[in-house]
Amino acid sequence: MQKFIFFFAVGAWAVTQGTAEEDYVEIWPPNPMVEFGGSLDLNCTSTCEHIGIESAYTKVPIGNGSNWKAFRLSNVNFWAAGTLCYAECKTGQKKSPKANIIIYKSPEIIELDPVPKMEVDKPYKLTCQVFGVAPIRNLTVTLMKGDEQLLIKTFENYTQTRADAVVVNHTIIAQEDDYNKTITCQTSLDLRPRGPLLKNTSQGISLWTFDFAKAPLLHAGLFLEAGTPMKMTCDAPEVSPAREATFGLWFAGKPLTSNTTVMEGLASAQAVIASSSVGEHELFCMVSLGPVTKNVTKMVNVFALPNLMLQIGSSEAVVNQTVNITCSAGGSASPGFKMQITDAGKTLATGKVDERFLQHAVIAQQEDNEREFICQVILIVDGHTKKRNISQNLTVFYRPQIDDSKCPHALTWKEGSTTSFTCSALGNPTPTVQCWKDGRPYNIGEPQLVQREHGGIYHCNATNQYGFDVRDVTVHVEFYQPNILAITMGILAIAVIFLSLGGLVFYNNRKKCRIYHLWKQQQPQARRDTELLPCLNHTTNN
Ligand SMILES: *[C@@H]1O[C@H](CO)[C@@H](O)[C@H](O)[C@H]1NC(C)=O
Ligand SMILES: *[C@@H]1O[C@H](CO)[C@@H](O)[C@H](O)[C@H]1NC(C)=O
Ligand SMILES: *[C@@H]1O[C@H](CO)[C@@H](O)[C@H](O)[C@H]1NC(C)=O
Ligand SMILES: *[C@@H]1O[C@H](CO)[C@@H](O)[C@H](O)[C@H]1NC(C)=O
Ligand SMILES: *[C@@H]1O[C@H](CO)[C@@H](O)[C@H](O)[C@H]1NC(C)=O
Ligand SMILES: *[C@@H]1O[C@H](CO)[C@@H](O)[C@H](O)[C@H]1NC(C)=O
Ligand SMILES: *[C@@H]1O[C@H](CO)[C@@H](O)[C@H](O)[C@H]1NC(C)=O
Ligand SMILES: *[C@@H]1O[C@H](CO)[C@@H](O)[C@H](O)[C@H]1NC(C)=O
Ligand SMILES: *[C@@H]1O[C@H](CO)[C@@H](O)[C@H](O)[C@H]1NC(C)=O
Ligand SMILES: *[C@@H]1O[C@H](CO)[C@@H](O)[C@H](O)[C@H]1NC(C)=O
Ligand SMILES: *[C@@H]1O[C@H](CO)[C@@H](O)[C@H](O)[C@H]1NC(C)=O
């Protein structure tokens, strides 16, 4: 026994001394990389015998040699430290250093937190969560807006090798043109040169950005007459995207149906309002665009003017008849109205406030025929005057009156001209005018060629059922023929005078020649010769 102990001690010493220089156990590769859940081959080399591997993973030998033994670790799906090679050396068991196994894992989940509908110019946080990725120190997370990189985040200082989750935050200021842009979260696990480059992209989320900074505007009249429709418009200016704006309109608490139109940055809704109830009513417009809802209200004063009835006692009167002009108001009316009876020019009667009956009497005169009477109701709503009126015309009957301008006392016509005899009279109804000349009825108004016989006195009588008026019209016809005769006679007279003068001269010459002949025979004279040469020639020819 002592001998054995001694031997063992000497042997152990000898082995220890020897292996210190010669025996080794190594693991290869020392820094292996394996995909999570995958398998890994390790080569144990040693100068010693009984090479083995110590590992928490499922392991099978896959080959051996004189100084090596290879193993396959499979299903590497958990993080375990302590994989090493060992061998039985002369000095005892010897172990290799632990292998530094890197298990890598593509992210299980990449998740972008949902974002709300955004208001332009306001900040919003984007959050990307990456779960189940390893090793994180090799991870790069990139946030993208369309093709634009918003943020690149790396984790070089991350020491843990186990799969873990990372969260990346980034704040953006919503912009108008971000509308319908897509945000994605991209991961890149770069294991090169020993491993692969693994890229993943999250599902995209869309940005919905809305610009609705300005308050909407209501365009509607301040006053509305009961029972009459009025157009109104609700505008949302400088909004984006305008087509997304939705409108809700109410009048006096009741919803209105509206039409929406969009014009580059302006959304507007049109509706028609009407009310039968008098008083102040609220017009309400609510506009929603994305996350923003704004409203605007306006008070509309609904007023009612009464219905008017105008009665002219007897719309047909005769001169000197008293005519009552009565105006009455019916139906619902806003308080404070006043009635008036006017004609085209002036106010004839004014009623008291809220009085629904007004009367004015006129004594019909000839000039009141066709006179227009107006009944008017006036209401002052918030300092604004609202009116309604109704009118009717009075007819006054009166006897004929022959008027100088339409039937003058005397007329002068020119013979040979074309003219017509006219004579008309005032009166209501329009009088019938009849004229007689020389006891015979004469056709008034017919064009005729004026002859001398047309001159004389015309007896005219204008009649209607209210009386008659008579007039004698004297027509004087101017003659033209006597003058022409006189001129012709004058010309004739001159011609006669000339002819007579010519005859006298001829006769005288003949007489002189005869005298000369007698005288020549007695006493010839040179002066006389020349003077009477034509006569001489004449006589010599004879
Ligand atoms: C293990 O290592 C030895 C020595 O380097 C080598 O000869 C052998 O081929 C390796 N085996 C495998 C399977 O790589
Ligand atoms: C070496 O491998 C051969 C077959 O390849 C096998 O028969 C032998 O048992 C192995 N030796 C050891 C020590 O595992
Ligand atoms: C990432 O990509 C790998 C393959 O490239 C895939 O197996 C894995 O499921 C992906 N992860 C996500 C979160 O899409
Ligand atoms: C968003 O953009 C896509 C294409 O870029 C388009 O098909 C889609 O209609 C857009 N959506 C809206 C609400 O504008
Ligand atoms: C809406 O538009 C239609 C057709 O353009 C028109 O007939 C209708 O009267 C409009 N309604 C309102 C409330 O303006
Ligand atoms: C309308 O807007 C005002 C603020 O401008 C708000 O106080 C009110 O509650 C809104 N009314 C409705 C009915 O939304
Ligand atoms: C109307 O009355 C006035 C005065 O009362 C009188 O002079 C006139 O003749 C009357 N006219 C008629 C057409 O009756
Ligand atoms: C006019 O009205 C007054 C009072 O309302 C009445 O006495 C008179 O008889 C009326 N006259 C006529 C012609 O209707
Ligand atoms: C009467 O009413 C009409 C419209 O209904 C208006 O044009 C006219 O000017 C009014 N007349 C008077 C005298 O007020
Ligand atoms: C009343 O007379 C005026 C002219 O004086 C005329 O313009 C108007 O049309 C008439 N009204 C009626 C209802 O006959
Ligand atoms: C004019 O006519 C009316 C009705 O026909 C008649 O009564 C009257 O006597 C006439 N006057 C003259 C002067 O002819």
Side-chain angles (χ1 to χ4, degrees), residues 7-325:
F7 246 86
F8 182 80
V10 170
W13 176 82
V15 166
T16 314
Q17 291 302 305
T19 51
E21 284 120 35
E22 296 156 26
D23 290 344
Y24 68 90
V25 179
E26 275 180 4
I27 190 159
W28 187 265
N31 299 307
M33 187 166 271
V34 60
E35 186 173 5
F36 182 84
S39 54
L40 172 67
D41 293 348
L42 290 172
N43 195 352
C44 293
T45 51
S46 179
T47 47
C48 307
E49 288 180 353
H50 303 299
I51 301 170
I53 193 157
E54 189 179 297
S55 176
Y57 305 112
T58 310
K59 50 204 179 278
V60 287
I62 53 165
N64 58 42
S66 58
N67 66 337
W68 61 273
K69 192 168 182 181
F71 298 91
R72 175 159 294 165
L73 307 185
S74 58
N75 213 9
V76 184
N77 59 6
F78 57 96
W79 274 262
T83 293
L84 52 79
C85 293
Y86 62 83
E88 298 300 332
C89 298
K90 288 169 197 135
T91 53
Q93 197 183 55
K94 196 169 169 65
K95 288 179 178 180
S96 71
K98 284 173 187 168
N100 177 26
I101 299 173
I102 295 170
I103 304 172
Y104 65 87
K105 190 170 186 291
S106 280
E108 265 166 45
I109 299 167
I110 310 171
E111 204 170 71
L112 269 170
D113 285 1
V115 289
K117 289 176 176 177
M118 299 175 174
E119 277 181 73
V120 165
D121 291 340
K122 289 199 173 170
Y124 293 89
K125 197 162 98 176
L126 298 175
T127 301
C128 179
Q129 300 190 71
V130 182
F131 295 100
V133 62
I136 286 168
R137 61 184 306 153
N138 292 59
L139 180 72
T140 303
V141 176
T142 309
L143 277 177
M144 303 286 289
K145 181 172 83 183
D147 296 333
E148 181 193 339
Q149 291 181 336
L150 293 176
L151 176 76
I152 301 169
K153 178 110 188 211
T154 55
F155 305 88
E156 295 100 339
N157 300 327
Y158 207 90
T159 48
Q160 190 176 315
T161 54
R162 287 166 176 270
D164 204 351
V166 294
V167 178
V168 171
N169 287 319
H170 180 62
T171 299
I172 58 164
I173 304 293
Q175 280 155 24
E176 192 182 315
D177 64 0
D178 285 345
Y179 186 87
N180 199 8
K181 281 199 178 157
T182 305
I183 297 286
T184 52
C185 183
Q186 299 182 348
T187 61
S188 159
L189 195 60
D190 191 355
L191 303 160
R192 291 173 301 180
R194 285 192 288 147
L197 172 67
L198 298 166
K199 289 189 168 188
N200 281 81
T201 302
S202 72
Q203 296 245 311
I205 53 164
S206 294
L207 293 183
W208 304 109
T209 58
F210 300 91
D211 192 359
F212 186 13
K214 289 216 166 169
L217 302 165
L218 262 180
H219 302 287
L222 288 170
F223 306 102
L224 172 63
E225 187 168 352
T228 58
M230 179 169 78
K231 280 188 182 170
M232 56 83 43
T233 306
C234 184
D235 282 346
E238 291 172 43
V239 292
S240 167
R243 65 177 185 284
E244 294 283 310
T246 56
F247 289 84
L249 300 169
W250 287 265
F251 181 57
K254 293 196 184 94
L256 300 169
T257 53
S258 62
N259 278 350
T260 308
T261 55
V262 171
M263 266 195 307
E264 210 182 323
L266 172 73
S268 56
Q270 297 85 38
V272 172
I273 59 170
S275 175
S276 54
S277 86
V278 166
E280 292 262 312
H281 294 297
E282 191 184 58
L283 187 56
F284 183 78
C285 174
M286 192 163 78
V287 191
S288 294
L289 180 60
V292 191
T293 295
K294 294 192 177 190
N295 68 57
V296 57
T297 62
K298 186 171 186 172
M299 296 312 288
V300 175
N301 194 328
V302 179
F303 66 92
L305 288 169
N307 294 318
L308 296 177
M309 275 235 306
L310 179 64
Q311 265 184 318
I312 295 186
S314 52
S315 63
E316 296 178 352
V318 293
V319 172
N320 281 357
Q321 185 180 329
T322 301
V323 177
N324 278 346
I325 294 157

